[in-house]
């Protein structure tokens, strides 16, 4: 058991280091990465296709990387937007890691790309622990999944800079309890913005794109309470452990951490 825990911590530590470097590289390019996390079937791909289409139509240079265990179906679909798209096949891995993402971007990401959308593997557990060097982390949930999603997956929703509701046009049909959902969101992540969207009707999509662009410009980024708590804990140990802790603090910490986009 100890061996397994040690290996897991080593993997997360390596990812943190890779994420710091990837974030630095993207910052130098003027590119803001947006990490999209949700359960399978949330409508994430449909919403992302519409976001990309509107970004391209509005003159915002945007690109996307989409991750799946198998098939390139989502990349083919997203490419209809006119934006550059790449597929990552994780070969069974339930999440993306910073090194995997950075390897796909090297030599491919077009110069001048303002927004890089990263569609993570459909999973609300594993991806929450891995920083991808993103500027903005978004947790999505559809009205068809039920209103208790945020409290069932507190790390995924508790560390998000933004929460997005999808398939809002179906809310009445599935008797979605909006008040209960919003209460759950605020329970795990007080003050986090929530945007309700529908890829079918287009509702909320322009507001979402505007929010992403403001975050890319450093104008609108929520700081989750979980992140502040972890940073305080890290600072406490930094005072006790000296230079070694200082080197560790240069990474974006895993598990309960602000993955990216904190005001700098």
């Amino acid at each position: 058991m100890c061996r397994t825990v040690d290996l897991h911590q080593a993997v997360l530590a390596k990812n943190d280091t890779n994420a710091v470097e990837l974030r630095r590289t993207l910052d130098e390019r003027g590119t803001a990465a947006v990490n999209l996390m949700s359960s399978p079937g949330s409508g994430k791909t449909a919403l992302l296709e519409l976001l990309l289409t509107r970004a391209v139509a509005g003159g915002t240079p945007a690109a996307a990387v989409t991750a799946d265990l198998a098939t390139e179906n989502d990349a083919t679909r997203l490419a209809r937007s006119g934006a550059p798209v790449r597929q990552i096949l994780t070969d069974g891995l339930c999440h993306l890691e910073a090194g995997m993402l950075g390897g796909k971007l090297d030599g491919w990401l077009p110069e001048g790309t303002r927004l890089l959308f990263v569609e993570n593997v459909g999973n609300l557990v594993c991806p929450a622990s891995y920083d991808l060097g993103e500027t903005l982390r978004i947790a999505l949930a559809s009205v068809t999944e039920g209103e208790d999603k945020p409290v069932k997956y507190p790390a995924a929703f508790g560390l998000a800079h933004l929460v997005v509701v999808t398939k809002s046009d179906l809310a009445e049909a599935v008797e979605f309890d909006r008040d209960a959902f919003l209460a759950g969101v605020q329970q795990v992540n007080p003050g986090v913005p929530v945007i309700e969207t529908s890829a079918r009707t287009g509702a909320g999509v322009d507001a979402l794109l505007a929010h992403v662009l403001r975050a890319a410009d450093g104008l609108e980024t929520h700081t989750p309470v979980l992140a502040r708590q972890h940073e305080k804990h890290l600072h406490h140990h930094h005072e006790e452990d000296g230079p070694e802790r200082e080197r560790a603090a240069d990474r974006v910490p895993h598990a309960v951490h602000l993955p990216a986009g904190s005001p700098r």
Side-chain angles (χ1 to χ4, degrees):
M1 177 63 71
C2 290
R3 176 65 173 167
T4 300
V5 171
D6 288 345
L7 288 173
H8 183 58
Q9 293 299 324
V11 169
L12 288 170
K14 181 179 180 181
N15 183 80
D16 288 344
T17 300
N18 289 337
V20 168
E21 182 58 35
L22 180 55
R23 182 175 293 107
R24 183 179 299 114
T25 298
L26 291 173
D27 283 348
E28 290 172 352
R29 296 175 59 114
T31 301
V34 182
N35 184 3
L36 303 171
M37 298 189 309
S38 76
S39 300
S42 68
K44 179 167 74 268
T45 305
L47 180 62
L48 179 53
E49 182 183 357
L50 190 52
L51 275 173
L52 288 168
T53 299
R54 295 198 178 181
V56 171
T60 298
V65 171
T66 182
D68 272 310
L69 276 65
T71 82
E72 297 192 358
N73 294 350
D74 286 353
T76 300
R77 181 175 180 179
L78 293 177
R80 299 185 306 201
S81 68
V85 178
R86 291 206 87 173
Q87 179 80 49
I88 294 180
L89 297 180
T90 65
D91 196 25
L93 195 63
C94 62
H95 60 272
L96 274 179
E97 296 179 5
M100 299 164 61
L101 178 59
K104 277 293 183 180
L105 299 181
D106 189 28
W108 168 76
L109 188 65
E111 289 295 329
T113 299
R114 185 72 189 99
L115 299 177
L116 172 65
F117 290 96
V118 181
E119 184 179 19
N120 218 314
V121 179
N123 188 334
L124 282 173
V125 181
C126 304
S129 294
Y130 288 84
D131 176 21
L132 300 182
E134 66 261 34
T135 298
L136 190 69
R137 176 178 285 205
I138 301 177
L140 304 93
S142 70
V143 299
T144 57
E145 297 174 80
E147 48 281 326
D148 60 352
K149 214 67 171 182
V151 293
K152 281 187 173 181
Y153 300 92
F157 288 90
L159 290 166
H161 302 114
L162 175 67
V163 171
V164 170
V165 179
T166 62
K167 305 183 183 181
S168 63
D169 55 298
L170 299 177
E172 184 176 352
V174 299
E175 299 183 344
F176 177 66
D177 190 334
R178 180 177 180 273
D179 290 340
F181 178 86
L182 294 178
V185 170
Q186 295 306 312
Q187 177 182 329
V188 300
N189 195 346
V192 67
V194 179
I195 297 178
E196 299 179 45
T197 67
S198 167
R200 188 177 71 85
T201 68
V205 177
D206 287 337
L208 175 55
L209 182 57
H211 185 103
V212 169
L213 287 169
R214 288 194 297 272
D217 291 335
L219 301 178
E220 186 168 355
T221 308
H222 166 73
T223 303
V225 171
L226 281 179
R228 294 197 293 268
Q229 291 174 344
H230 186 70
E231 286 168 354
K232 182 178 180 180
H233 176 74
L234 192 64
H235 178 69
H236 171 72
H237 283 280
H238 163 60
E239 291 178 340
E240 293 180 348
D241 298 345
E244 181 60 32
R245 176 60 60 176
E246 183 176 359
R247 286 192 293 272
D250 286 338
R251 302 192 309 266
V252 177
H254 51 73
V256 186
H257 75 294
L258 179 62
S262 55
R264 295 190 291 269

